[in-house]
Amino acid sequence: MIDTDLTDEEALLAKTARGYFTDFVDNAYLNAQEASELGYEPRRWAQMCQLGWTAINLPERVGGAGGTLAEAGVVAREYGR
């Protein structure tokens, strides 16, 4: 699917996020993580932090990625797929 409303950078971000989330996210996985002691998988959370997705629209001066709200929306949309 090509989303013509996205910039080239946002489209690349969407493609990257979609590939990342498609590799492991399904209902069985999510249910298992929710039932776990922590409620999430620390390794996956660390990977998303390293990619900058957890702070994508925060300014770099406070440790964020300096991205836009639109970019945060792109990642959230792909996660929701």
Side-chain angles (χ1 to χ4, degrees):
M1 175 181 132
I2 297 174
D3 192 335
T4 58
D5 293 335
L6 298 179
T7 66
D8 289 344
E9 187 174 293
E10 291 166 350
L12 179 58
L13 178 60
K15 181 180 177 182
T16 302
R18 185 175 303 143
Y20 179 82
F21 294 129
T22 301
D23 284 344
F24 74 92
V25 175
D26 61 26
N27 285 339
Y29 170 83
L30 294 174
N31 291 337
Q33 293 313 306
E34 190 174 83
S36 73
E37 184 177 328
L38 293 174
Y40 65 94
E41 184 181 354
R43 183 177 62 86
R44 295 286 185 182
W45 183 255
Q47 287 174 336
M48 288 188 288
C49 289
Q50 289 174 339
L51 289 166
W53 293 347
T54 59
I56 198 166
N57 65 319
L58 293 176
E60 291 177 1
R61 64 181 164 72
V62 297
T68 65
L69 187 57
E71 291 168 337
V74 166
V75 173
R77 180 177 73 174
E78 294 306 324
Y79 184 75
R81 275 183 202 263

